[in-house]
Amino acid sequence: MSLHPVLKFAAAFGLILSVASGCTTATSLDSVGAIAPVPVTEKSAAIVVDGSTGAVLYQAGADLPRIPASLTKMMTLYLTFEAMQSGRISKDTQIPISAHAASQAPSKLGLKPGRTIDVDTAIKALVVKSANDIAVALAEYLGGTEEQFAAQMTAKGRALGMRGTVFHNASGLPDPQQITTARDMALLGLSLRKHYPQQYYYFVTQDFMFDGKVIHGHNRVLAQLNGADGIKTGYVRASGFNIVTSINDDGRQLVAVVMGGETAKLRDAQVVSLVNAYLPQVAQR
């Protein structure tokens, strides 16, 4: 009986880590006629994984510690989807906004303490707006406190095979102890699709209505790549510009991660280049 690609990827993690953790040079793309677009710097890293087989097609500093920024919200959403699947919450469940949640720095929806937001809208707020106030509200509702929820996030990551990730908050706002790796973010992206296919459609959302206004997203890659169906962008000054991109195109699945981009435009160009270079090598389901 063959392992699911996510399990293959996780099972191979230990061997890959021992070989690649010290690597600071990018794998060449010459074999597919392109220039390696992600030189490894203090902030940058990248990885491309075949979503059907779990094979690593490209990596550059994939196991070096990096700052996740709002990629953190992928795990906040993972635990939210888990709570939905178990029946603990539904799309209509009202999430209260505490003073702590309301006090978070932008990006945010700006809800006042005492207001509530339904889970369906809260998920869209994380995916589209990357709303820090809503991430904290979900964390408090599901974990009791944001600190307790962050511990659950780290524990869940370990259970999934994410060996290089520690969460200290639910939003990705700056915290020197909150670290991850490009490989861990790819594993989380694969796990979201595998474990929560009924909720995965949220990641392709590009805008939503809230308080009578259209809230637009900033994941430009969704419109640049055929089959792009998520997942998340992120930025804080210490991390640079990050992205996890998922492709499901004509039976081929791929996850590409770029971290530490100098600008959003450059980061987007790097991940588009990686997808275009390696998607032809992905196995069709």
Side-chain angles (χ1 to χ4, degrees):
M1 179 177 174
S2 61
L3 287 172
H4 187 279
V6 175
L7 299 179
K8 286 183 180 178
F9 183 49
F13 185 92
L15 176 60
I16 294 168
L17 181 60
S18 66
V19 173
S21 60
C23 178
T24 57
T25 58
T27 302
S28 173
L29 296 184
D30 290 344
S31 62
V32 290
I35 298 172
V38 189
V40 177
T41 67
E42 183 180 356
K43 297 178 181 179
S44 68
I47 192 168
V48 180
V49 180
D50 185 327
S52 298
T53 67
V56 176
L57 304 176
Y58 171 91
Q59 57 184 314
D63 299 300
L64 298 175
R66 294 292 181 256
I67 296 172
S70 281
L71 300 187
T72 296
K73 295 183 178 78
M74 292 167 58
M75 182 58 85
T76 303
L77 288 163
Y78 189 100
L79 293 182
T80 300
F81 295 159
E82 183 178 72
M84 293 174 72
Q85 186 165 287
S86 70
R88 182 180 171 193
I89 59 175
S90 71
K91 288 183 178 183
D92 298 324
T93 300
Q94 295 295 311
I95 306 298
I97 307 299
S98 69
H100 174 59
S103 71
Q104 299 303 301
S107 176
K108 59 198 290 186
L109 283 187
L111 275 67
K112 301 296 185 183
R115 283 198 60 180
T116 63
I117 185 171
D118 63 85
V119 167
D120 180 65
T121 306
I123 292 170
K124 294 173 183 174
L126 265 62
V127 171
V128 177
K129 180 68 172 173
S130 201
N132 296 321
D133 50 353
I134 307 307
V136 172
L138 280 167
E140 291 175 333
Y141 188 87
L142 295 173
T145 67
E146 185 180 12
E147 182 179 5
Q148 290 171 334
F149 186 78
Q152 294 172 14
M153 294 167 69
T154 300
K156 181 59 66 175
R158 291 290 186 275
L160 294 175
M162 297 169 62
R163 300 183 182 181
T165 300
V166 176
F167 295 110
H168 276 252
N169 63 51
S171 65
L173 283 169
D175 185 317
Q177 294 181 295
Q178 185 144 303
I179 60 168
T180 190
T181 67
R183 192 181 309 277
D184 279 4
M185 289 294 103
L187 178 56
L188 180 54
L190 290 167
S191 298
L192 279 162
R193 185 192 295 279
K194 174 181 182 284
H195 297 142
Y196 302 110
Q198 292 182 323
Q199 289 82 26
Y200 197 81
Y201 71 90
Y202 278 109
F203 289 112
V204 79
T205 307
Q206 299 188 57
D207 55 64
F208 69 102
M209 291 292 299
F210 181 74
D211 278 357
K213 299 179 182 179
V214 180
I215 308 295
H216 295 286
H218 42 255
N219 189 347
R220 311 301 181 201
V221 171
L222 290 172
Q224 296 180 42
L225 289 168
N226 290 334
D229 58 1
I231 300 177
K232 192 76 188 70
T233 62
Y235 170 80
V236 293
R237 183 177 300 175
S239 74
F241 292 86
N242 300 337
I243 191 167
V244 178
T245 292
S246 171
I247 304 292
N248 188 4
D249 183 42
D250 194 27
R252 295 177 298 177
Q253 295 183 358
L254 174 149
V255 170
V257 179
V258 170
M259 306 186 76
E262 294 182 5
T263 67
K265 186 175 182 179
L266 178 59
R267 171 204 64 195
D268 292 351
Q270 289 171 333
V271 79
V272 167
S273 175
L274 287 172
V275 170
N276 286 334
Y278 286 101
L279 189 60
Q281 300 182 28
V282 171
Q284 286 186 306
R285 296 177 69 87

